[in-house]
Every structure is written in C-alpha cells, then in structure tokens.
Amino acid sequence: MNTLNETYTLSNGVSIPKLGLGTWFIENEVAADAVRAAVGFGYRNIDTAQAYGNERGVGEGVKSSVVPREEIFVSTKLAAEIKDYDQALAAIDGSLRKLGLDYIDLMLIHSPQPWDDFRGGDYADGNRQAWRALEDAYQAGKLRSIGVSNFLRPDLENILSEARVSPQVNQLLVHAGNTPSELLSYCGDKGILVEAYSPIAHGALFKNASVQALAKKYGVSVPQLCIRYTLQLGTVSLPKTGNPEHMRTNAEVNFEISTPDMDLLRGLRDVDYGKHSSFPVYRGN
Ligand SMILES: NC(=O)c1ccc[n+]([C@@H]2O[C@H](COP(=O)([O-])OP(=O)(O)OC[C@H]3O[C@@H](n4cnc5c(N)ncnc54)[C@H](OP(=O)(O)O)[C@@H]3O)[C@@H](O)[C@H]2O)c1
C-alpha cells in the first residue's frame, strides 16, 4: 500500500494522513509550487504555521493543486506569543484569510510558552485562553480539529482541566535520538495523536553513523529510515523538503524496521543539531 494513502483517525473521527509535508523554511514565494508538487506526488497533509510566514503561499498551492481542497488536510499553528482569548480569535481569522480557505483542518497552539521564554515562565492561564479560542472556532466550524504542539504533560493537564474539547493532536519533536516515550504513552492514554516534527532532526541525522549504518542495512536513504521510524512509533511524520525529488523518495517508506532496530533507534542519544542548536526546540530543555 502507498503510505501516502494511509490515515489515522483523530478522537473526533476526523481522518488525518500519516505522512505529511513540513513547510518550515519554505519561503512564501515558493510555497505554492512546493505544495502543488507535493500534492502531485500524492501528499494530502500539509503543515504550516503563522510563524513560518508562508500561509499565503501554502493556501495558494492547496487551492491551485490537482485535487479538490477537501482532499487536502491543512494544518497551521497559532503563534506561540499569543496567550490571550481575543488575540487568539483574531489570529485564527487571520490564518483563514492568509490561507484563503473557508476552514482549516487542524490548528495547534504552537508552543506552551512564547519562543523567547521556551520552557520558562507560567503561561497556564494564557494557554487556557488560547485554547478557549480554538474551541470556539472549532465549534463555529472554522477548524475541523484542534490541538497543541510542544506541550509537556503538565501543559496538557492544564488544558484538560477546563477543556470542553480535548486536544486531538500534540505535535512534538520526535526522531531517532529523541523519542519521548513517557509523553507519547501519556498522549496515547488521553486519545491525543502525536505528530512527529523534525523527523530527520532538522537534517542532523544525516551525520549520525548508527543511522547511516541502519539505512544501509535496509537499502534505504537516511530520510526514508527516519520517516519510517516515526511512522512505526504510531505518529504522523512531517518531513520538510522543498525539493520535488526528495518529496517523491521520502514517501517510499513501505518497508518494516525490525523490533530490535526500532529499539536501537529509540535508544540513540545526543544528536548534535550543530548550528541549529540555537533554535529553542533543539536546545534540549
Ligand atoms: N511544532 C513545532 O514547533 C515545529 C518545530 C520544527 C518543525 N516543525 C514542523 O516539522 C517539519 C519538519 O521539520 P524540520 O523542517 O525541522 O526538519 P526535518 O524534516 O527533520 O529535516 C529537514 C531537512 O532535511 C532535508 N531533507 C528532507 N528530505 C531529504 C532527502 N530526501 N534528501 C536530502 N535531504 C532531505 C531538507 O532539505 P531539502 O528541503 O533540501 O530537501 C531539510 O534540510 C517542519 O517543516 C514543520 O512543518 C514543527
């Protein structure tokens, strides 16, 4: 079976393709071409964010692609800095406008803290306000599903304490060398589907000797092994590429990693993100 046709079902019954296209660092001007190319290869799940500055291009690509808009699962994220109900509601409408769509398939709170205070202060009240805005937009039919990103267990407990609608998704840093097993099983217990972002560790796994050796053993590329690893964990995988040839090969992941090799990849430690370590999400706290 073609992996691009495989789906999970969210807790509200909405179907989500297992493999998507990440668009961080795809410029607005070229995002439409990238999305059209991906959809042409069969991708039906596109991940963007207010912070990426490319919602307009992504939306244009979705609307001008070879399939009807309803066949594409479009996700975006509320800016991490917005921790206020009214601002969140306005920003959701802003995303709808920029994307040029009548509805968004999934909208996430990008982070429990603003980026300049990642894993820092107490934003519990602000996150509940942002969540309330997502719930209201969900109930108004603007969003087909809602969730969070980078939320740890206490951040989720805070949302769940007052939620009318439980988060359907938590998008997390998950890749060989960073597998938050306890959090994955907590999300599983709560019916929250995890999406794996940076499945190739933002490129860092190309240089990892263990990953290279395993890729060789299976006769696949490093990205194919990394993407397959996250799919076998039961997560949605969101590799980013702007390169059509990479889009094509990244979707050829119809092979099976053995249980011992899954354990090996789960046990990898200390991935070096190199010059990208300065991004809050890779700082390791
Ligand atoms: N929620 C969050 O806080 C958060 C944070 C980070 C990322 N994300 C999401 O997750 C997506 C993916 O994460 P990411 O962008 O950090 O990194 P990634 O997918 O782990 O890695 C992307 C890098 O791998 C390269 N690549 C991909 N396929 C390749 C192939 N077949 N051959 C050679 N190089 C290949 C890409 O370059 P080319 O473009 O040249 O192929 C790019 O340099 C993002 O785009 C975004 O949608 C979310």
Side-chain angles (χ1 to χ4, degrees):
M1 183 173 179
N2 180 347
T3 307
L4 288 166
N5 297 332
E6 294 181 26
T7 57
Y8 297 112
T9 304
L10 299 177
S11 60
N12 63 348
V14 168
S15 174
I16 178 172
K18 291 187 177 183
L19 178 59
L21 180 79
T23 67
W24 188 24
F25 284 110
I26 298 184
E27 298 291 328
N28 202 32
E29 292 65 35
V30 295
D33 283 341
V35 169
R36 278 190 292 262
V39 173
F41 288 118
Y43 285 78
R44 295 292 181 268
N45 178 348
I46 311 290
D47 181 77
T48 180
Q50 292 173 349
Y52 303 167
N54 61 12
E55 285 178 309
R56 201 173 300 283
V58 166
E60 190 191 317
V62 167
K63 287 182 292 176
S64 59
S65 77
V66 291
V67 303
R69 182 269 172 269
E70 309 77 67
E71 289 184 21
I72 306 175
F73 191 98
V74 182
S75 304
T76 192
K77 310 184 194 80
L78 181 69
E81 293 71 25
I82 298 177
K83 301 294 179 203
D84 167 90
Y85 175 83
D86 291 329
Q87 285 179 22
L89 264 193
I92 293 165
D93 286 340
S95 276
L96 282 163
R97 248 191 332 271
K98 281 202 177 130
L99 286 161
L101 300 177
D102 299 333
Y103 66 88
I104 292 162
D105 293 277
L106 172 65
M107 188 143 189
L108 310 169
I109 299 178
H110 206 149
S111 162
Q113 299 87 22
W115 294 119
D116 64 2
D117 194 20
F118 189 61
R119 303 288 181 236
D122 180 1
Y123 298 90
D125 178 60
N127 281 319
R128 288 195 302 270
Q129 290 197 38
W131 187 251
R132 206 154 46 79
L134 286 186
E135 287 176 322
D136 287 349
Y138 174 75
Q139 281 166 345
K142 296 177 181 180
L143 311 174
R144 286 182 73 226
S145 52
I146 53 177
V148 294
S149 178
N150 295 298
F151 272 48
L152 303 180
R153 183 172 174 155
D155 305 312
L156 288 166
E157 286 170 345
N158 171 50
I159 295 295
L160 289 169
S161 69
E162 283 187 7
R164 285 171 284 149
V165 181
S166 291
Q168 287 128 13
V169 166
N170 191 7
Q171 190 180 113
L172 296 169
L173 179 66
V174 179
H175 57 71
N178 187 80
T179 309
S181 300
E182 277 182 28
L183 187 55
L184 291 178
S185 79
Y186 176 76
C187 289
D189 290 346
K190 296 290 174 193
I192 300 169
L193 181 71
V194 172
E195 294 189 316
Y197 75 69
S198 303
I200 319 164
H202 205 68
L205 286 172
F206 283 108
K207 289 171 277 159
N208 187 288
S210 309
V211 171
Q212 286 172 352
L214 265 193
K216 195 165 172 207
K217 171 177 162 182
Y218 285 91
V220 298
S221 69
V222 164
Q224 286 168 329
L225 183 82
C226 294
I227 293 163
R228 182 69 209 176
Y229 171 69
T230 51
L231 292 172
Q232 275 186 229
L233 288 177
T235 62
V236 169
S237 192
L238 294 172
K240 173 265 169 181
T241 179
N243 178 322
E245 182 57 16
H246 296 171
M247 291 173 193
R248 188 180 66 75
T249 55
N250 287 357
E252 292 172 353
V253 288
N254 200 0
F255 63 100
E256 192 74 19
I257 303 174
S258 72
T259 304
D261 289 336
M262 283 297 288
D263 290 342
L264 192 154
L265 292 167
R266 198 180 282 110
L268 282 184
R269 295 283 177 271
D270 299 328
V271 169
D272 180 4
Y273 298 104
K275 64 177 189 266
H276 305 299
S277 307
S278 57
F279 286 113
V281 289
Y282 305 129
R283 255 185 237 136
N285 48 2

